Amino acid sequence: MTISTRKTVLGGLAMFGTVAMLAACAQAPATTDDTNSAAASDFTPCIVSDFGGFNDKSFNQSSFAGIEAAADELGVDFNQAESTAEDQYASNVTSMIDQDCSFILTVGFALANATRDAAIDNPETNFAIIDSALSNDDFSPLELENVKPVLYDTAQAAFLAGYLAAGTSKTGIVATYGGLQFPSVTIFMDGFADGIAYFNEAKGTDVTLLGWDKATQTGAFAGSFDDIAAGKTTSENFISLGADIILPVAGPLFQGTAQAINDSGKDVAIIGVDSDLFETTPEFAALYLTSVMKQMTDATQLIITDAAAGDFDATPYVGTLENEGVLLAPLHEWESKVDPTIMTEIEELQAQIIDGSLVIESEATPQQ
């Protein structure tokens, strides 16, 4: 495990907040009604999804909610381009530029190159991209004055989810899988693996993780973010091997996991990602242990309203446990099934992560 610790005084910490505070690497400028009114006449925000679409019940949907909220606050209309295939990214971004968008939000690591190229060709247009920084063709880092990366250190919250899964599993076997092997996916899996390993070390247990080996960066991937049947097949395999908690990091493919659980008739739980699945997809409410949340709606709303007020800057925003950009969702219907001692220990671990005495690291950890 790439986790470092030092001794600390542990205190209680309320971890399951429902309203996130956005805190970027640079101080976020405040907007006012006056600046919003002034912006309304000539500011047009726009958004481009990845091929998961705006109803993915995951990061596209959360980001879309953010631009909706920002447009409502500003009193402006916004434009959208929903991608249904990877080869549409560049043309969809271009279509937003052709519609005179003042600000373009692109959603997902897969749009990084399309965003980069459009931003270079259109320096007067401001962009933000969810879940990715920029790089050159040789993968060297690239910073542009008109592109703001919006990143999340989800390994921190996923670590807590891994500890929770290890402490809650009855079979001693848990699992995870991804959609595609993107850094924004594997960062969840790394944190989850470390949380399980930390629990095993602390408790002298041997909870097994299926689907991901952090050391070799190899594991189970469905091959897409839209093939729900692949999510079901992958989950059926995990369940047959004894897994009773599954973390799908694959957008809407968690619905395939839910189908596999229901078909199995076994007591298996899901840990969601990006949004609180209990809220976004309540038809499977009884299956959700918790969700590792990225507060994308709040971040995108504030970034857009700041841009409208003339306060855009390209300093990356990094969501962490400290600024509540990432967090665990409530246990909801699982609260009575989880040992309260585990939750107390998770509160203490979260406090250590926030004060820096427990450092969770992934190859995909955003640089701050």
Side-chain angles (χ1 to χ4, degrees):
M1 291 190 296
T2 53
I3 304 173
S4 61
T5 62
R6 64 175 183 268
K7 292 183 179 179
T8 185
V9 177
L10 300 179
L13 183 69
M15 65 179 296
F16 294 122
T18 59
V19 179
M21 296 174 60
L22 180 67
C25 299
Q27 183 175 357
T31 58
T32 66
D33 291 340
D34 290 341
T35 56
N36 290 346
S37 297
S41 62
D42 60 2
F43 182 81
T44 303
C46 301
I47 185 170
V48 180
S49 80
D50 77 357
F51 65 82
F54 292 126
N55 294 315
D56 66 350
K57 303 183 186 300
S58 188
F59 63 98
N60 283 287
Q61 187 167 323
S62 296
S63 301
F64 190 83
I67 196 171
E68 282 187 311
D72 183 65
E73 179 181 342
L74 295 166
V76 301
D77 294 327
F78 68 93
N79 297 329
Q80 59 183 283
E82 186 169 27
S83 307
T84 58
E86 294 181 63
D87 61 6
Q88 296 176 350
Y89 296 153
S91 61
N92 279 343
V93 174
T94 299
S95 75
M96 295 294 94
I97 293 168
D98 291 344
Q99 294 179 49
D100 297 323
C101 295
S102 311
F103 172 94
I104 301 173
L105 176 69
T106 59
V107 186
F109 177 86
L111 278 89
N113 287 348
T115 304
R116 175 199 66 193
D117 295 345
I120 291 172
D121 291 341
N122 300 273
E124 74 288 350
T125 303
N126 290 326
F127 296 78
I129 179 168
I130 302 291
D131 272 346
S132 183
L134 300 182
S135 63
N136 295 296
D137 288 337
D138 63 359
F139 303 108
S140 59
L142 173 67
E143 296 179 2
L144 296 176
E145 292 183 356
N146 61 330
V147 181
K148 185 179 189 73
V150 182
L151 307 168
Y152 295 88
D153 194 354
T154 45
Q156 293 184 346
F159 173 90
L160 302 179
Y163 192 93
L164 172 62
T168 304
S169 173
K170 303 300 184 185
T171 64
I173 302 172
V174 300
T176 185
Y177 70 93
L180 292 166
Q181 194 161 353
F182 291 161
S184 55
V185 171
T186 59
I187 188 172
F188 281 96
M189 301 165 84
D190 283 346
F192 192 63
D194 280 346
I196 295 163
Y198 192 95
F199 182 91
N200 283 336
E201 183 177 346
K203 304 292 185 179
T205 53
D206 190 25
V207 177
T208 299
L209 173 63
L210 305 177
W212 186 241
D213 185 321
K214 182 183 176 183
T216 62
Q217 294 286 291
T218 58
F221 293 90
S224 80
F225 292 103
D226 60 356
D227 187 354
I228 291 175
K232 182 177 181 181
T233 299
T234 302
S235 301
E236 287 172 339
N237 182 54
F238 288 147
I239 294 169
S240 71
L241 295 172
D244 62 353
I245 298 174
I246 301 174
L247 171 75
V249 193
L253 270 63
F254 73 87
Q255 296 171 81
T257 299
Q259 293 168 10
I261 293 170
N262 286 337
D263 288 351
S264 75
K266 295 182 178 180
D267 189 15
V268 179
I270 294 172
I271 296 178
V273 300
D274 295 335
S275 303
D276 184 352
L277 298 187
F278 186 90
E279 302 292 343
T280 63
T281 316
E283 57 263 39
F284 301 120
L287 302 182
Y288 305 136
L289 174 57
T290 186
S291 296
V292 180
M293 299 172 62
K294 297 187 293 191
Q295 299 293 72
M296 289 171 287
T297 299
D298 299 310
T300 55
Q301 180 179 355
L302 185 55
I303 290 166
I304 292 167
T305 53
D306 281 353
D311 292 321
F312 176 87
D313 75 84
T315 304
Y317 165 76
V318 179
T320 64
L321 287 174
E322 182 176 11
N323 63 30
E324 296 185 353
V326 299
L327 67 161
L328 289 187
L331 300 180
H332 298 298
E333 294 185 12
W334 274 76
E335 185 171 3
S336 63
K337 305 177 187 179
V338 175
D339 184 352
T341 301
I342 297 294
M343 299 314 300
T344 299
E345 291 169 356
I346 288 174
E347 290 178 1
E348 294 171 348
L349 291 170
Q350 176 165 316
Q352 292 179 57
I353 294 170
I354 289 173
D355 71 24
S357 58
L358 175 58
V359 178
I360 312 303
E361 295 179 331
S362 163
E363 289 188 8
T365 296
Q367 298 303 308
Q368 301 187 52

